[in-house]
Amino acid sequence: MGSVQIVTTILAAAITAVAVWLAVRAVMKMVAVIRLGQPDPSRFGDQVSRTKTMLAETAGHTRMLRWSVVGAAHWFVMVGFIVLSLLVLEAYFEVVSPTGGLPLIGGWGLYGLVTEWIGILGIVGIVVLIAIRLTNRPNRAGRRSRFTGSTMWQGYFVEAVVLAVLIMGFLIRGFKVATDHFEYPTWAAPLSHAVGSALPNWESGVSVAALIKIAISMTWLIVISLNVTMGVAWHRFLAFPNIYFKRKPGAAGSGLGPLRPMMSDGKPLDFEEADPEKDQFGVAHVEQFTWKGLLDFSTCTECGRCQSQCPAWNTGKPLSPKLLVLSLRDHAYAKAPYLLAGGGKDLTGEEKATAAQLAHVDVLALAEAEKPLIGDAEAGGVIDPDVLWSCTTCGACVEQCPVDIEHVDHIVDMRRYQVLIESSFPSEAGVMLRNLENKGNPWGAPQNTREDWTKGLDFEVPRVGEVEDFEYLFWVGCAGAFEDRAKKTTRAVATLLNEAGVSFAILGEGETCSGDPARRIGNEFVFQMLAQQNVETLNEAFEGREKAKRKIVATCPHCFNTLGNEYGQLGGEFEVVHHTQLLAHLVATGKLTPVQPVDGGVTYHDPCYLGRHNRVFAPPREVLGSAINGGTGGADGGLIEMPRNSERSFCCGAGGARMWMEERIGKRINVDRVEEAMSTGAKTVAVGCPFCSTMLNDGVNGKGAGEQVEVVDVASVLLRSVKPEPARGAEEGEPVAR
Ligand code: SF4
Ligand code: SF4
């Protein structure tokens, strides 16, 4: 060992020792913070699915590759990081000896080839990512930049380190080539040979370059260890467990759909026994999120994909799912010293720690602990109420998040506490909640008018109990029974089912609201009350049938989601389909035959609770495709897609009980969506949800375009094609004045 190698070895050992000590301390701190969260036993089952999903989403980058260029570049950088960690390890042998290399695999041609090419593609990948970050700088693009609100120096720092480490790898190899200590042929390592041909024959160059590479890598480790909230770096490690523990590991996409039940101490809360002095009602303090919630906040990479898709953020509202997650993360870590000392409030609001326990806690942590979780700027709140109530629960953020952060569950958990304990929510939604409690529907319509939509049809609509048998229970929904436009859809569906010879029956006055708006606003009490009543009614209607024969068809995606995905939490197991799925099947099997083409072009708006939450993308398109060309079209022949469609569809603004709240801030979401729909030039905007229909109709009328553009349900489009005027007669009911 020469004198240069003695110095490089000592320096490499010293900086590594400091970095590893700091990293161990940082990991222990993060684990301690995450363990502050509440238990969640539901995250440990189905280990095979969890492992498969984690491998597919990390190694396969299945979520990231939707953003193709960024996804591909990030894949090479990620693989580069993992594989080239071996080269950092190799550098420890090279600081000791210029001819050193990894034992066993060092010198193996395949290892040289793979690392060479991953290094080259890693450089290309990181340069692409740096270019994307630079061209999307918030100071250039403002709110349109997905990096607005991200800590930019951290992103630049991480990317610069990756680039520098990759370059140093080629410099080390170059010096080995120049000093004739390189084992790999030119065909296996062309860039290393090219670099080597330009370098001097300096043997210690290998050890010095290796020391620089180690120093850069360890500086990175030191910086991230001193910044445990630096998600852009820590996600390299945290993404694996965060994806492994996702809410529905085997489900396609992001696993949206059902909301998590309200939990207390790891168990679902039953309102017949719940006690607010003993049980946790939603989330009032950051430590009341589960450990998975705290892991979510720690894992955020600040990439801003969620923000770029959020309808609230895109229409000028204060909610950004990214900034919400970052606020919760920063608050959790700032408050952690107080909590770890034994601090915290019990369920009656009393301090748990003694004065002695808190005596040595940092004043900043004590001050952080005093902040209300929800509160405006004056109250020093972590999350502003306008942020909390802007969410439509559309799921665009969850769908886009590459590390499976579950924003919607966290938002609803915070709403639950505000509604159930603080009675604090937008006052206009109070009418809807009172109507649900007193009348069983959000409009407050009399229950005995639930069947009014059947009047004037030229066939009998059977009620459950009046018929011997039925294949489908037609769940009409409150909108479908009481709202004028939705009633047209209900009539159209009933007519089509009758036409196709499907045996169905309705509950009529036995139906009440599914409870979706109560649950999304956070009123789990009203939700459980309505849901239990409906589950009882439905169980009675299907008595003696196995699950596969407990079939329900629903026209409202919110009912479809709640009945199919959430009633199981209360003992109601049913096979629920959306009407577009059933209609697509009836067309495909020849039970319904479209004959009349649709004029003027058709576009389709994916309802969030049908598309993203339940991944029903194809059936409505198949129905429309068959109708557009009067039965001669292909699967979706002739449909004009909006730029934001399917998984990336833009919300209409009504979900998350926003239908029942005023939209006072920013541009109206429905107007934004209507402008997009009208930009296609289509004369018909087809929808598959009564709330979307209301919102988009309002948007079209607000723009004074009611004469040029019609917003109408997929079922009505099909009915016009199957039974053209005048054969259709009264089935759709009287036209609604626009
Ligand atoms: S669910 Fe939709 S509205 Fe709510 S934060 Fe996510 S993207 Fe925004
Ligand atoms: S998409 Fe996920 S990782 Fe990216 S900023 Fe949003 S929450 Fe964070």
Side-chain angles (χ1 to χ4, degrees), residues 252-431:
S254 51
L256 282 159
L259 267 180
R260 268 168 35 87
M262 211 164 121
M263 309 283 276
S264 177
D265 199 24
K267 295 186 214 70
L269 206 61
D270 180 347
F271 271 89
E272 291 196 352
E273 294 155 11
D275 176 352
E277 297 210 343
K278 294 198 191 113
D279 294 305
Q280 184 183 314
F281 277 39
V283 167
H285 306 287
V286 75
E287 65 275 17
Q288 290 182 336
F289 286 108
T290 67
W291 59 263
K292 174 62 169 68
L294 296 177
L295 179 60
D296 270 1
F297 308 151
S298 308
T299 308
C300 177
T301 72
E302 306 194 16
C303 69
R305 281 176 181 76
C306 54
Q307 178 174 288
S308 71
Q309 305 291 309
C310 174
W313 180 258
N314 277 295
T315 53
K317 308 200 173 30
L319 166 63
S320 147
K322 175 183 75 179
L323 299 181
L324 177 124
V325 166
L326 300 188
S327 300
L328 293 171
R329 177 196 68 189
D330 293 345
H331 174 61
Y333 280 84
K335 188 179 177 183
Y338 157 78
L339 295 169
L340 291 168
K345 300 279 191 291
D346 66 18
L347 291 166
T348 61
E350 293 298 312
E351 175 58 58
K352 288 192 273 188
T354 61
Q357 279 176 297
L358 299 181
H360 302 292
V361 175
D362 187 274
V363 291
L364 292 176
L366 292 174
E368 192 72 28
E370 289 304 314
K371 287 185 180 174
L373 190 65
I374 306 297
D376 59 17
E378 207 180 315
V382 178
I383 304 292
D384 192 280
D386 281 335
V387 168
L388 188 68
W389 296 109
S390 289
C391 179
T392 67
T393 70
C394 70
C397 48
V398 183
E399 179 69 28
Q400 288 303 325
C401 182
V403 292
D404 280 321
I405 288 169
E406 298 161 357
H407 316 69
V408 175
D409 287 331
H410 305 322
I411 288 170
V412 174
D413 270 339
M414 290 188 283
R415 285 183 173 188
R416 285 169 170 165
Y417 181 83
Q418 293 302 307
V419 172
L420 294 170
I421 302 296
E422 299 284 336
S423 284
S424 172
F425 52 87
S427 55
E428 61 273 18
V431 179

Side-chain angles (χ1 to χ4, degrees), residues 62-79:
T62 47
R63 310 292 298 282
M64 284 286 292
L65 284 171
R66 287 189 201 148
W67 297 53
S68 44
V69 175
V70 186
H74 189 274
W75 188 84
F76 283 115
V77 172
M78 181 201 73
V79 172

Side-chain angles (χ1 to χ4, degrees), residues 5 449 538:
Q5 280 70 38
T449 58
L538 290 167

Side-chain angles (χ1 to χ4, degrees), residues 529-607:
M529 185 185 84
L530 295 166
Q532 268 160 1
Q533 189 179 334
N534 283 325
V535 166
E536 254 173 56
T537 308
L538 290 167
N539 280 343
E540 208 175 300
F542 288 121
E543 201 173 354
R545 293 198 198 188
E546 59 187 278
K547 187 186 171 195
K549 296 203 169 151
R550 296 156 74 95
K551 294 196 223 171
I552 298 175
V553 57
T555 53
C556 171
H558 299 270
C559 298
F560 163 66
N561 179 62
T562 306
L563 269 62
N565 293 326
E566 297 185 342
Y567 278 11
Q569 296 166 3
L570 296 161
E573 296 287 348
F574 313 107
E575 284 294 324
V576 189
V577 293
H578 188 245
H579 69 285
T580 57
Q581 291 174 294
L582 183 53
L583 295 180
H585 170 73
L586 296 173
V587 171
T589 51
K591 303 240 171 69
L592 291 173
T593 309
V595 288
Q596 173 83 39
V598 183
D599 289 335
V602 181
T603 189
Y604 173 64
H605 163 81
D606 289 90

